[in-house]
Amino acid sequence: MDFNDTPEEAKFRAEARAFLEANVKPKSAESERLQRKLSPAEYLKAAKAYQAKKAEAGFTGITWAKEQGGRGLPPIYSVIFNQEEAKFDAPAAPFSIGLGMCVPTVIAFSDEATKDRYVAKALRGEEIWCQLFSEPGAGSDVAASKTKAVRDGDDWIVNGQKVWTTGAQFSDYGILLVRTNPDVEKHKGLTMFIVDMKQKGVEVRPIHQASGGREFNEVYFTDVRIPDSSRLGDPGMGWNVALVTLMNERLAVGGSYGPDYKEILDFARGISSPTGEGALIKDEAFRQKLADWIVRAEGYKLAKFRTMTALSKGQTPGPESSIGKVINANQMMDIANTAIEAQDHFGIINDPDLAPLEGAFHQSYMFAPGLRIAGGTDEILKNIIAERVLGLPQDVRVDKGVAFKDLPSGR
């Protein structure tokens, strides 16, 4: 594996860095503090302004075809830009799902008129998208979706509920997976649609999370009419369409979040050990944990290099991209828990003005359980790794060959 940039890649990296330095601040405790003080409306306004500049400079849809507003570059260039952008406090979050998962699905499965209508506006940040897959009774088993759509002339009438929909409260459109045929196996009776999130019958209810955030939502559909022209793929082929989205999703959520071993290493130098004998960094039990975290982080970094190597050769990354989230979500919680416990009874203080790293350890601890669910639960991803990476036998499926309507379900 060669991890050095080619001359063309180095030139692109320098171009990306120059754009970022001119438009956003480098990541720091102060810049993150100021960003957290923005109201949701202020943050969204800043995000749209940044996205418009990013699109004008050609750093959105980097891998997309030029006729779709992209640069038509190999995927490694997108990786390079993401690496550089991660060093800055760029307000890119509202667009990550739409541009990383939803709009690529629209491009892959819609006609030219549909692409002309949606793609350019999404790239410029004029319209925001969300992904409507998970349900209260389905979760990571996406194919178990019960939200149904019934054909009515040139329209489909949708009724049901989705949950854990990130960004639905400020989204203009979404991609929606629904049940259109209950008389076949669960993977065969699904269809994907584009849905207008502002239309009559769509109700969005933000969920107040344990971390204090409100990024996730419940979304209810009551007699929502969707024209057949908004369908993505053939009726009943929604699972194949969803797989394209899911692969993009699991690659996108595999990165690290919150304080990592570097932050807790600095933290451990300035706080006493549980024995009261010197700093925490001198404690043998803590040092063992720290070594484990470093090994896992470095192992994941090397696994990512495999993905980067595949991308640099124009290849499609395999199911090994599922490894990242299993490692990072659990490590994030372990690091945060260790830091909080190390503060003894002061660990209960999560006031950003008083807590270490402005309460980042507390926020990470409360957010980590959600990250272990988003983009596929740990259990689902471990099954993928076992079956598709390690080549182990498939898990037992009692629903194989059974029509969805005949599957037993709880009351």
Side-chain angles (χ1 to χ4, degrees):
M1 293 183 285
D2 183 3
F3 306 127
N4 296 315
D5 289 341
T6 65
E8 294 80 9
E9 291 166 356
K11 181 180 178 182
F12 177 83
R13 189 183 294 275
E15 181 188 348
R17 190 178 297 127
F19 164 78
L20 291 162
E21 288 173 346
N23 290 283
V24 282
K25 294 180 179 179
K27 192 166 283 184
S28 67
E30 175 64 14
S31 65
E32 289 183 3
R33 182 183 69 79
L34 292 173
Q35 198 171 92
R36 282 199 296 268
K37 286 190 173 183
L38 295 176
S39 69
E42 290 171 332
Y43 179 80
L44 192 60
K45 182 179 179 181
K48 287 193 171 187
Y50 170 69
Q51 185 66 22
K53 292 179 182 178
K54 191 172 166 182
E56 186 177 358
F59 291 114
T60 56
I62 292 169
T63 62
W64 299 4
K66 292 181 180 180
E67 55 266 29
Q68 299 301 336
R71 287 199 181 191
L73 294 174
I76 189 64
Y77 285 85
S78 184
V79 171
I80 289 170
F81 183 82
N82 291 339
Q83 288 175 337
E84 294 302 318
E85 190 179 53
K87 302 171 186 176
F88 293 80
D89 271 329
F95 308 100
S96 59
I97 289 177
L99 298 181
M101 307 170 202
C102 303
V103 181
T105 305
V106 173
I107 291 173
F109 292 96
S110 66
D111 57 28
E112 292 303 317
T114 302
K115 285 185 259 193
D116 289 343
R117 163 61 186 87
Y118 295 113
V119 175
K121 288 190 175 184
L123 280 176
R124 294 192 298 265
E126 296 172 13
E127 294 174 346
I128 300 175
W129 289 66
C130 62
Q131 173 188 317
L132 299 143
F133 282 14
S134 293
E135 297 186 7
S140 291
D141 186 8
V142 174
S145 295
K146 291 183 178 179
T147 297
K148 66 179 181 179
V150 178
R151 189 72 182 258
D152 182 31
D154 292 331
D155 294 338
W156 296 78
I157 301 177
V158 178
N159 285 278
Q161 178 190 358
K162 298 291 179 176
V163 73
W164 309 124
T165 306
T166 304
Q169 73 271 40
F170 51 70
S171 290
D172 301 290
Y173 294 93
I175 54 172
L176 171 66
L177 190 67
V178 295
R179 176 78 45 195
T180 52
N181 185 358
D183 297 321
V184 294
E185 292 181 67
K186 65 181 184 180
H187 290 82
K188 298 179 180 179
L190 299 166
T191 305
M192 184 87 79
F193 293 94
I194 297 171
V195 60
D196 182 347
M197 295 297 293
K198 308 298 185 185
Q199 74 180 90
K200 181 182 177 181
V202 179
E203 180 187 1
V204 178
R205 300 181 188 175
I207 298 171
H208 190 184
Q209 298 150 224
S211 64
R214 294 178 183 269
E215 294 89 3
F216 302 141
N217 301 270
E218 296 176 289
V219 183
Y220 293 84
F221 298 91
T222 305
D223 294 331
V224 174
R225 282 190 171 270
I226 300 178
D228 187 60
S229 58
S230 293
R231 175 169 41 83
L232 297 174
D234 295 330
M237 297 300 292
W239 177 247
N240 293 340
V241 181
L243 284 178
V244 173
T245 311
L246 289 172
M247 288 302 101
N248 286 325
E249 179 184 30
R250 283 164 186 165
L251 189 60
V253 299
S256 57
Y257 300 80
D260 62 13
Y261 71 85
K262 296 173 185 175
E263 278 81 14
I264 199 170
L265 175 59
D266 291 338
F267 166 79
R269 291 185 175 119
I271 191 170
S272 299
S273 71
T275 62
E277 300 175 1
L280 177 61
I281 191 63
K282 301 292 186 182
D283 183 79
E284 290 187 10
F286 174 80
R287 291 167 72 91
Q288 180 62 54
K289 277 193 167 188
L290 181 63
D292 287 342
W293 295 329
I294 292 172
V295 168
R296 288 178 195 164
E298 291 301 305
Y300 172 55
K301 183 172 76 173
L302 293 174
K304 281 203 301 184
F305 284 161
R306 291 182 180 177
T307 299
M308 290 173 62
T309 299
L311 291 172
S312 69
K313 294 179 179 179
Q315 300 170 356
T316 302
E320 66 274 2
S321 59
S322 299
I323 296 171
K325 196 172 76 69
V326 175
I327 294 172
N328 289 324
N330 288 276
Q331 180 147 309
M332 173 181 173
M333 193 166 191
D334 194 19
I335 288 174
N337 182 58
T338 301
I340 292 170
E341 287 191 341
Q343 298 171 60
D344 197 20
H345 55 288
F346 294 106
I348 198 172
I349 300 173
N350 66 351
D351 186 333
D353 293 330
L354 301 172
L357 265 67
E358 298 183 332
F361 289 120
H362 297 81
Q363 190 175 26
S364 291
Y365 182 80
M366 300 305 289
F367 181 69
L371 188 59
R372 293 178 61 190
I373 297 171
T377 63
D378 285 1
E379 292 75 17
I380 291 288
L381 296 182
K382 286 178 180 178
N383 272 351
I384 291 173
I385 294 165
E387 295 173 10
R388 302 182 193 175
V389 178
L390 302 178
L392 297 177
Q394 281 196 347
D395 199 9
V396 175
R397 274 190 52 200
V398 297
D399 57 5
K400 210 164 188 177
V402 181
F404 184 77
K405 67 178 182 180
D406 297 326
L407 293 176
S409 62
R411 295 180 180 177

